[in-house]
Amino acid sequence: MLVNSTGMAFLWPLHTIYMTQGMEKTLSEAGFVLMLHSGAEIVGSFLGGYLYDRIRGKRTLLLSVLAAACFIFIISIGLSWPVYILMMVLLGLAIGIIFPPIYALAGIVWKEGGRKSFNLIYLVLNFGVAVGTALGGIVAQFSFQYVFWVNGFTYLVFIIIVWFALEEPDPVIETVKVKKEHVLNPKHEVRPAQSFNSLLVLCLGFMFCWVTYIQWQTSISNYMHQLGFTLSAYSALWTINGILILLGQPLIQWFMARMKVPIKWQLLSGVLFFMATFGLLSQSHSYGGFVAGMVIMTIGEILIFPAVPAIADRLAPIKRRGMYQGLVSGAANVGRTIGPLLGGLLYDGLGPLVLLYGCIFIGGFALICFGTYQRLQYTQNEFHLPKSINKGG
């Protein structure tokens, strides 16, 4: 995940610049292509989960990453506009397939890790983004083609790591272990119908969170420009975000485990932090207010984003682990896709204050989803940390 996120971060902030400056297209045309790219990622998320359940995680990763590398290298040679759009759609599909197998595998290759597995994935994901975005801008100054090449090269490194270093548990052995656990602890068994319904509600809340979170990358940047803040001032907020995640995430997760906080309350607390962020921005026009808002939002992000795939792993029947993670990734992609459109409509039509209050309102829906999803099950086993996690922090 570290190699993958670093390579992706080389490229994704520069897509728009490449299309508008390198290919001389309008911002609207670039936005349309990115929308198609995001839509393909949604489809890829569901397809990645399906393939994991059918051909296992290692094969799914190898096929998807190899496809992504091929599409990147094809784009790097310089394409006509229609062919470029097609390659961007196919690239989005391949990228979307990658994430469900990674999260599904995180739950089984280090089974005793529990939530710590997903916390670690989240941490290295953000570290890779921080490194990739910093280096991507430097490489782009020489040539956009070099950016594509570096991104493609990271995918090749990814393939080598998966091929030689990743040991995926045999499905037969895993099935035997699960059956033994259910015999020893029959009260921990969750019926598939209830677990799936619970997952749908969980994913709906996750989507609402992403709809509000993505506003920081879209509408709020325009809002800060309208207030007279420079682009460097806005970029500094994301530097703060990255530093807080790298330094604060292990500390916050240690504290949550130490205090034995149920994961449901971790989710609810995270949503409240999101809502407090937009409440603060609606009342403050100073740069200090935006800094404080970013700090508060980052704490909420740390509480929510690694927890949802961890819950999905606990809910998933053994033969549907990929599908469950695919739904989680798909929900995030849906939020990232509709969030900018919804935010733009509210901002342009009704003003920034209505957008900020609207995000608080949407956060309320996330609260309802996270507060009630466990009612669709007969047990609440998935909320509690395993004893090994509690002791180890």
Side-chain angles (χ1 to χ4, degrees), residues 179-326:
K179 287 182 178 179
K180 287 182 178 180
E181 289 176 2
H182 285 177
V183 171
L184 295 174
N185 301 290
K187 67 177 182 179
H188 288 171
E189 187 173 356
V190 181
R191 294 186 179 183
Q194 278 77 22
S195 68
F196 184 73
N197 293 335
S198 182
L199 177 76
L200 291 180
V201 176
L202 182 73
C203 288
L204 187 62
F206 197 39
M207 183 200 72
F208 287 135
C209 289
W210 266 105
V211 168
T212 59
Y213 179 85
I214 203 68
Q215 302 308 320
W216 275 92
Q217 299 178 14
T218 54
S219 300
I220 289 180
S221 62
N222 290 333
Y223 182 43
M224 291 185 65
H225 179 73
Q226 179 183 325
L227 294 176
F229 297 109
T230 64
L231 182 60
S232 60
Y234 171 73
S235 299
L237 295 179
W238 288 105
T239 303
I240 294 172
N241 173 265
I243 293 173
L244 284 176
I245 290 174
L246 295 178
L247 299 180
Q249 195 263 1
L251 180 61
I252 291 175
Q253 295 300 338
W254 173 84
F255 176 78
M256 301 297 287
R258 185 78 173 180
M259 300 302 294
K260 300 180 181 179
V261 178
I263 200 167
K264 181 187 76 169
W265 294 109
Q266 178 177 325
L267 291 175
L268 294 176
S269 300
V271 176
L272 291 176
F273 276 108
F274 271 27
M275 296 170 71
T277 294
F278 295 103
L280 174 63
L281 295 185
S282 68
Q283 303 300 318
S284 174
H285 295 164
S286 68
Y287 186 67
F290 284 96
V291 172
M294 176 59 80
V295 172
I296 296 171
M297 185 206 67
T298 303
I299 296 174
E301 174 186 353
I302 291 171
L303 293 173
I304 295 173
F305 287 176
V308 174
I311 297 174
D313 179 70
R314 297 292 300 277
L315 290 173
I318 188 169
K319 294 183 179 180
R320 295 185 183 178
R321 191 173 272 123
M323 183 185 73
Y324 276 47
Q325 294 298 341

Side-chain angles (χ1 to χ4, degrees), residues 4 47-48 51-52 55-71 93-102 105 152 154-168:
N4 180 53
L47 181 58
L51 290 175
Y52 176 90
I55 63 175
R56 304 296 290 167
K58 191 168 183 176
R59 293 175 183 173
T60 302
L61 283 177
L62 289 173
L63 290 173
S64 58
V65 175
L66 180 60
C70 290
F71 297 142
L93 184 68
I95 291 174
I97 294 174
I98 293 173
F99 287 90
I102 288 180
L105 287 170
T154 59
Y155 282 131
L156 296 181
V157 175
F158 191 119
I159 291 173
I160 293 172
I161 293 173
V162 172
W163 183 274
F164 291 103
L166 179 62
E167 296 182 6
E168 184 174 9

